[in-house]
C-alpha cells in the first residue's frame, strides 16, 4: 500500500441503497446478482473464450475469425484480427428479411418540433445512396472523411455510409471553431468533408459551411478534394465550383444499392479527437469488430434492451456517446431510437419531458449537466416541472459524461423516474468505446453517485502510483488490468503518445483511465472522484474535486451547479477555488460575502474543514462548450489570475468570464 499522503481521501459516504424491483429483475436479461457474478466468473475462467463466444453471437461475420486476442505487440492489442465484417452491414443489412426491416429505426425531432420517421429499410437505401456518392467522388477504403454536421438523420447516414465503403470517419462536433476543425482535418489527412449549410439550435440558424470554408482556407488543408453539403435550411451559402456539391442532389443521382465493403475486424472504423492534457487534440482510433461488438452488447446489458423499447440518447454524434449509443449501438441492436436536433431548453426547459411523453420514450440517457440545469429551470418555474408531463412510459434512466452527484441522482430518480426506474450511471471514456463500470438494471442494487461495478469481462481496479492494488475505502488511480475488445487501438499517427498516455511504464502494463476512484468498504462499489489531474493536494491531504462539487450541489436550496479547481498557494500548497452558479441572482458586495461564508461552512459540515474553498466566485453559469462540458482548464487559468489565451470560440457565453473574476 502507498504512503498515507498519496491515498486520495474519500470523505463522502452514501448510505442510501435502491434495490431493483421484483418486476424489473424478473424481466431482465441479466437477472439478479447471481447472474452477474456467473458472467464475471465465466470471463475470469476463460477470458478469450468468453469474448469469442459473444463475438460469434452478436455480430455477422463475412469471414469468421480464428484468433480472438493477439497480445504479441502489447499495448497494441488486436481482437478478432483475421475475421472480416462490415459495421454498416451489421447495423442495417443484417435486419433485412426480418421483422426489423419495417420497424422505425429513427424518430427524428427537429429543433422546431417537426417529426420524421425512418424505417430500417429506408435507412439502408439512404445510406447506400450516400455511400455511392462518396465512391463517385473517389473516396476509397482507408480514406478519412471529416463529418461536421448537425444532429440530424443525415449525420448518422454520413457515418454509416463511410463505414459501408470502409472509409474511416472523423466526426467533429458542430460547436467547434474553424481552427479546431482545421487541426482535425489536417491531423487525419481527410480527403472530404461532409457538412451542412447551417444548423438549427434553439430557434437560431448557426453556420457550418462557412466555418468549413474558413478552416480549409486558413489551414491550407491540401488533402481535401470534396465538400458535400446537406442543405438543412433554405439559406444560400458560398459553393466552390469543382469542390462543393449538395448532398441531396448527389444522392438523387445514385442507386440505393451499394454492397458493403468487408474489412478486417481491426480496420479503423473511426478516429475521434479528444482533448489531451497538453493542448494538441488526440485522435482516438477505434477498430471495427471489437468496437461494434461492445456497442451492441452494452445496449443489451446496460439498457436491457427489448424489441418494444424507444431508446433516446441525447448526446450529439460529435462525441463518443453519440457514436456508440446513436450511430452504431441502437442500430446494431435493431432498436427504435429518438434523434433530437435541438437543445433541452428550447422553446422552454420542458422540452425533454414533452418529447418523452410524445414519443413514449422508454429508455432515456442524458448527462448530469443537463439534469442539473433542468433542476434549476424547474425550481424557478412551476409550469416546467416534470410532473406536468406523463413520463410513465419510462422504464430505465441513464447518466453519462461525468460522475453524477447524489442530489442530482435523487432528483432524477424521483421526479423523472417516479421512483420506479433504475438509473444506470455509466462510467466510460472516448478511449474505452463503450460502458466499463455501470449498474445492470435488473441486478445491481443502486447507490446514488456510484457507478457500482464493472461489466463482466472488464477488469477494473484501483491502484497506487506503482500499480499496486489499494484496499477498499482508500482512493487511488483507476486502471483496467486486461485488454477488452472496444479499447482504443492507438492515437492516430502517434503511437508513442498512445503508450505514454495510456500504458505508462510504472503501471505494470495496465490501462490508465486518468481518473481517481474509490471502492466502498461494504460493497466494493466504484465511485469516480474526478480526473487525476483534478486531484487537489491541500496541506498534504489529497482530495478529488468532484467530492467538493458534490457537497456544494447538495446545498439544494441555494446551489444549482458548481465546479472546483485548485490554484497554487504558498501556505497550503494548493488552494480550493469554487465557481458557483446559484439558483437565484448573481450576488454582489456584502450579500456575496455572506453567501460565500455560508457555503464554506456547509462544505466544512459535509466533508470537513480541510475541504473549505479558500475562494468562491459566483456567475450566471459556468464556462461550457456547446456540448455542455465544463471547460476546467479555463477555470484553472481564471483561478490563477492568468490572462485567457485559450480558444474560447466554443464557449456558449463568453461574457461570464468577467463575472467569474470576482473573488469572495
Amino acid at each position: 500500500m502507498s504512503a498515507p499522503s498519496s491515498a486520495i481521501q474519500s470523505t463522502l459516504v452514501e448510505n442510501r441503497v435502491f434495490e431493483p424491483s421484483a418486476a424489473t429483475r424478473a424481466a431482465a436479461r441479466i437477472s439478479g446478482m447471481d447472474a452477474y457474478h456467473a458472467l464475471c466468473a465465466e470471463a475470469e475462467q476463460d477470458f478469450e473464450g468468453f469474448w469469442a463466444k459473444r463475438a460469434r453471437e452478436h455480430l455477422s461475420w463475412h469471414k469468421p475469425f480464428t484468433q480472438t486476442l493477439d497480445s504479441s505487440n502489447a499495448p497494441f492489442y488486436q481482437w478478432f484480427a483475421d475475421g472480416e465484417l462490415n459495421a454498416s452491414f451489421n447495423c442495417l443489412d443484417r435486419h433485412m428479411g426480418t421483422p426489423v426491416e419495417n420497424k422505425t429505426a429513427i424518430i427524428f425531432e427537429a429543433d422546431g418540433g417537426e417529426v420524421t420517421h425512418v424505417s430500417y429499410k429506408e435507412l439502408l437505401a439512404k445510406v447506400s445512396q450516400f455511400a455511392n456518392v462518396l465512391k463517385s467522388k473517389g473516396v476509397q477504403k482507408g480514406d478519412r472523411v471529416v463529418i461536421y454536421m448537425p444532429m440530424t438523420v443525415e449525420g448518422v447516414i454520413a457515418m454509416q455510409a463511410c463505414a459501408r465503403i470502409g472509409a474511416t470517419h472523423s466526426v467533429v462536433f458542430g460547436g467547434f471553431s474553424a481552427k479546431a476543425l482545421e487541426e482535425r482535418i489536417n491531423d487525419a489527412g481527410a480527403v472530404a468533408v461532409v457538412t451542412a449549410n447551417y444548423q438549427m439550435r434553439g430557434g437560431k440558424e448557426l453556420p457550418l459551411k462557412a466555418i468549413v470554408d474558413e478552416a480549409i482556407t486558413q489551414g491550407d488543408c491540401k488533402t481535401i478534394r470534396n465538400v458535400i453539403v446537406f442543405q438543412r435550411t433554405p439559406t444560400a451559402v458560398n459553393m466552390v465550383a469543382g469542390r462543393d456539391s449538395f448532398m441531396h442532389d448527389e444522392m438523387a443521382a445514385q442507386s440505393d444499392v451499394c454492397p458493403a465493403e468487408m474489412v478486417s475486424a481491426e480496420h479503423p472504423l473511426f478516429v475521434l479527437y479528444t482533448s489531451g492534457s497538453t493542448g494538441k487534440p488526440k485522435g482516438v482510433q477505434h477498430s471495427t469488430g471489437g468496437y461494434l461488438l461492445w456497442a451492441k452488447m452494452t445496449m443489451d446489458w446496460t439498457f436491457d434492451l427489448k424489441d418494444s423499447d424507444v431508446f433516446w440518447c441525447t448526446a450529439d454524434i460529435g462525441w463518443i456517446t453519440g457514436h456508440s449509443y446513436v450511430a452504431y449501438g441502437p442500430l446494431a441492436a435493431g432498436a427504435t431510437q429518438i434523434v433530437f436536433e435541438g437543445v433541452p431548453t428550447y422553446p422552454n426547459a420542458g422540452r425533454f419531458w414533452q418529447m418523452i411523453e410524445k414519443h413514449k420514450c422508454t429508455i432515456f440517457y442524458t448527462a448530469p449537466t443537463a439534469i442539473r440545469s433542468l433542476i434549476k429551470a424547474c425550481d424557478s418555474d412551476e409550469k416546467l416541472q416534470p410532473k406536468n408531463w406523463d413520463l410513465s412510459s419510462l422504464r430505465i434512466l441513464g447518466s453519462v459524461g461525468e460522475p453524477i452527484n447524489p442530489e442530482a441522482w435523487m432528483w432524477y430518480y424521483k421526479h423523472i423516474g417516479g421512483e420506479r426506474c433504475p438509473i444506470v450511471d455509466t462510467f466510460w471514456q472516448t478511449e474505452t468505446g463503450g460502458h466499463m463500470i455501470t449498474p445492470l438494471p435488473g441486478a445491481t442494487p443502486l447507490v446514488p453517485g456510484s457507478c457500482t461495478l464493472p461489466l463482466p469481462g472488464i477488469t477494473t481496479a484501483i491502484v497506487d502510483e506503482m500499480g499496486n492494488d489499494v484496499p477498499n475505502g482508500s482512493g487511488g488511480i483507476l486502471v483496467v488490468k486486461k485488454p477488452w475488445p472496444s479499447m482504443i487501438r492507438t492515437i492516430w499517427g502517434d503511437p508513442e503518445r498512445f503508450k505514454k498516455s495510456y500504458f505508462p511504464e510504472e503501471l505494470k502494463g495496465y490501462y490508465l483511465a486518468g481518473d481517481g476512484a474509490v471502492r466502498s468498504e461494504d460493497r466494493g462499489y466504484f465511485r469516480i472522484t474526478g480526473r487525476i489531474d483534478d486531484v487537489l493536494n491541500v496541506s498534504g491531504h489529497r482530495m478529488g474535486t468532484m467530492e467538493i462539487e458534490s457537497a456544494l450541489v447538495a446545498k439544494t436550496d441555494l446551489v444549482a451547479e458548481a465546479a472546483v479547481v485548485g490554484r497554487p498557494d504558498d501556505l497550503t500548497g494548493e488552494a480550493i477555488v469554487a465557481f458557483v452558479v446559484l439558483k437565484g441572482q448573481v450576488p454582489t458586495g456584502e450579500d456575496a460575502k455572506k453567501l460565500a461564508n455560508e457555503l464554506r461552512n456547509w462544505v466544512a459540515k459535509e466533508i470537513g474543514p480541510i475541504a473549505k474553498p479558500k475562494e468562491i466566485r459566483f456567475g450566471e453559469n459556468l464556462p461550457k462548450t456547446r456540448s455542455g462540458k465544463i471547460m476546467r482548464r479555463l477555470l484553472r487559468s481564471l483561478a490563477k489570475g492568468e490572462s485567457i489565451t485559450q480558444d474560447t470560440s466554443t464557449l456558449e457565453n463568453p461574457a461570464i468570464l468577467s463575472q467569474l473574476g470576482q473573488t469572495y
Side-chain angles (χ1 to χ4, degrees), residues 55-56 59-67 79-90 141 260-267 288-290 292:
R56 291 188 183 105
L59 297 178
S60 291
W61 293 87
H62 174 69
K63 179 184 163 205
F65 59 90
T66 62
Q67 185 184 23
W79 286 88
F80 325 116
D82 62 348
E84 288 183 2
L85 74 171
N86 178 282
S88 177
F89 182 97
N90 272 277
K141 176 177 168 178
E261 175 79 34
M262 298 299 156
V263 296
S264 147
E266 279 298 319
H267 180 77
T288 298
L292 195 65

Side-chain angles (χ1 to χ4, degrees), residues 289-339:
Y291 168 79
L292 195 65
L293 170 66
W294 199 225
K296 161 73 170 68
M297 282 177 67
T298 48
M299 286 296 301
D300 288 351
W301 280 0
T302 310
F303 300 116
D304 192 39
L305 191 72
K306 310 270 189 267
D307 282 344
S308 56
D309 275 317
V310 176
F311 176 82
W312 182 15
C313 163
T314 65
D316 191 281
I317 54 172
W319 309 110
I320 188 69
T321 308
H323 281 53
S324 303
Y325 302 108
V326 178
Y328 288 107
L331 298 175
T336 294
Q337 64 168 326
I338 298 167
V339 170

Side-chain angles (χ1 to χ4, degrees), residues 424-664:
V424 288
D425 172 5
T426 59
F427 167 79
W428 60 297
Q429 302 171 305
T430 304
E431 294 88 346
T432 70
H435 303 150
M436 300 296 279
I437 311 175
T438 174
L440 294 168
T444 320
L446 304 173
V447 169
S450 165
C451 48
T452 69
L453 294 166
L455 284 165
I458 304 294
T459 54
T460 49
I462 298 176
V463 298
D464 62 18
E465 285 88 345
M466 300 317 296
N468 305 310
D469 286 30
V470 302
N472 287 2
S474 300
I477 299 165
L478 182 66
V479 295
V480 187
K481 290 188 170 182
K482 288 181 185 171
W484 66 100
S486 68
M487 67 192 294
I488 174 175
R489 293 308 194 258
T490 186
I491 290 172
W492 181 263
D494 200 343
E496 277 312 301
R497 189 178 181 196
F498 166 73
K499 279 198 294 199
K500 264 205 249 3
S501 300
Y502 300 111
F503 294 91
E505 276 173 18
E506 62 276 15
L507 280 183
K508 301 184 176 180
Y510 300 155
Y511 166 85
L512 170 68
D515 282 285
V518 63
R519 296 189 77 164
S520 62
E521 286 186 60
D522 53 349
R523 296 171 183 269
Y525 277 10
F526 286 79
R527 186 165 52 77
I528 308 298
T529 49
R531 296 291 298 170
I532 299 175
D533 47 12
D534 284 340
V535 170
L536 310 181
N537 191 332
V538 182
S539 308
H541 297 264
R542 290 179 72 184
M543 277 173 291
T545 54
M546 182 64 207
E547 296 206 298
I548 307 168
E549 289 172 12
S550 275
L552 284 161
V553 178
K555 183 100 178 85
T556 51
D557 58 327
L558 284 179
V559 177
E561 204 169 9
V564 169
V565 298
R567 66 159 176 77
D569 183 271
D570 291 346
L571 186 63
T572 54
E574 222 168 353
I576 300 169
V577 182
F579 295 86
V580 177
V581 178
L582 296 175
K583 288 186 170 172
Q585 296 295 308
V586 176
T588 52
E590 283 311 307
D591 282 347
K593 276 186 199 156
K594 193 164 136 267
L595 279 166
N597 280 331
E598 188 177 340
L599 291 176
R600 279 192 191 92
N601 295 334
W602 170 265
V603 172
K605 183 171 99 40
E606 286 283 291
I607 298 181
I610 189 72
K612 266 186 172 179
K614 185 158 188 183
E615 293 177 13
I616 292 183
R617 304 177 179 205
F618 298 103
E620 278 165 49
N621 45 33
L622 296 173
K624 289 178 192 165
T625 62
R626 283 181 241 176
S627 72
K629 255 209 164 79
I630 297 169
M631 297 175 80
R632 289 175 193 274
R633 269 187 297 187
L634 202 58
L635 292 179
R636 282 196 275 272
S637 296
L638 282 170
K640 288 176 192 163
E642 298 169 351
S643 55
I644 304 295
T645 54
Q646 290 132 299
D647 178 13
T648 54
S649 62
T650 59
L651 264 187
E652 246 332 358
N653 173 8
I656 55 170
L657 295 180
S658 57
Q659 285 178 0
L660 294 168
Q662 184 59 49
T663 295
Y664 296 96

Side-chain angles (χ1 to χ4, degrees), residues 29-46 50 53-54 301 440 443 454-457:
R29 209 181 236 96
I30 300 177
S31 170
M33 285 306 279
D34 288 351
Y36 162 78
H37 289 305
L39 283 165
C40 293
E42 183 193 336
E44 187 76 19
Q45 280 148 18
D46 177 9
F50 171 87
K53 178 174 179 241
R54 272 73 203 173
W301 280 0
L440 294 168
L455 284 165

Side-chain angles (χ1 to χ4, degrees), residues 12-276:
L12 212 64
V13 177
E14 180 59 67
N15 298 315
R16 294 170 286 194
V17 180
F18 299 86
E19 296 279 346
S21 70
T24 305
R25 194 179 286 121
R29 209 181 236 96
I30 300 177
S31 170
M33 285 306 279
D34 288 351
Y36 162 78
H37 289 305
L39 283 165
C40 293
E42 183 193 336
E44 187 76 19
Q45 280 148 18
D46 177 9
F47 188 66
E48 286 192 30
F50 171 87
W51 287 113
K53 178 174 179 241
R54 272 73 203 173
R56 291 188 183 105
E57 257 172 32
H58 288 272
L59 297 178
S60 291
W61 293 87
H62 174 69
K63 179 184 163 205
F65 59 90
T66 62
Q67 185 184 23
T68 304
L69 172 62
D70 176 358
S71 317
S72 60
N73 185 24
F76 299 95
Y77 296 100
Q78 296 206 322
W79 286 88
F80 325 116
D82 62 348
E84 288 183 2
L85 74 171
N86 178 282
S88 177
F89 182 97
N90 272 277
C91 291
L92 300 168
D93 309 58
R94 192 182 186 199
H95 305 305
M96 296 305 117
T98 77
V100 174
E101 71 174 14
N102 295 313
K103 185 175 176 178
T104 299
I106 294 175
I107 304 168
F108 173 65
E109 180 159 324
D111 185 65
E114 307 81 0
V115 175
T116 318
H117 287 80
V118 185
S119 73
Y120 272 88
K121 207 176 207 168
E122 290 165 334
L123 191 58
L124 172 60
K126 288 178 189 293
V127 167
S128 299
Q129 276 180 313
F130 192 60
N132 285 329
V133 170
L134 291 172
K135 283 200 314 201
S136 74
K137 302 284 180 193
V139 179
Q140 293 172 347
K141 176 177 168 178
D143 283 342
R144 276 80 58 207
V145 175
V146 162
I147 297 173
Y148 185 64
M149 291 281 269
M151 194 55 192
T152 52
V153 178
E154 285 72 13
V156 175
I157 290 170
M159 293 166 80
Q160 284 281 340
C162 289
R164 196 160 192 84
I165 62 170
T168 300
H169 60 68
S170 185
V171 186
V172 178
F173 171 64
F176 275 125
S177 63
K179 182 176 175 297
L181 179 61
E182 172 251 308
E183 276 178 353
R184 287 158 174 74
I185 291 172
N186 279 332
D187 191 77
V191 299
V193 177
V194 184
T195 187
N197 61 342
Y198 287 88
Q199 58 178 340
M200 294 301 300
R201 282 179 73 86
K204 292 188 189 74
E205 196 178 44
L206 302 170
L208 288 174
K209 172 65 167 62
I211 296 171
V212 171
D213 290 347
E214 187 188 335
I216 294 175
T217 330
Q218 74 179 25
D220 194 24
C221 302
K222 287 193 175 65
T223 52
I224 294 290
R225 296 195 299 269
N226 289 283
V227 176
I228 305 169
V229 183
F230 160 50
Q231 205 159 359
R232 169 64 188 89
T233 70
T235 312
V237 282
N238 176 50
M239 296 291 279
V240 176
R243 184 194 73 180
D244 301 355
S245 59
F246 284 113
M247 183 175 186
H248 283 102
D249 295 348
E250 294 279 356
M251 282 171 71
Q254 294 293 341
S255 156
D256 62 2
V257 177
C258 174
E261 175 79 34
M262 298 299 156
V263 296
S264 147
E266 279 298 319
H267 180 77
L269 179 62
F270 62 88
V271 173
L272 184 57
Y273 286 86
T274 178
S275 49

Side-chain angles (χ1 to χ4, degrees), residues 385-450:
Q385 289 183 1
K387 64 181 183 195
N388 297 317
W389 286 271
D390 177 6
L391 305 181
S392 60
S393 59
L394 288 169
R395 65 180 197 89
I396 290 170
L397 299 175
S399 166
V400 61
E402 55 190 309
I404 182 166
N405 49 293
E407 291 318 310
W409 191 102
M410 284 305 305
W411 184 89
Y412 196 27
Y413 184 72
K414 255 191 198 139
H415 296 281
I416 308 307
E419 299 187 14
R420 65 173 196 285
C421 301
I423 296 178
V424 288
D425 172 5
T426 59
F427 167 79
W428 60 297
Q429 302 171 305
T430 304
E431 294 88 346
T432 70
H435 303 150
M436 300 296 279
I437 311 175
T438 174
L440 294 168
T444 320
L446 304 173
V447 169
S450 165

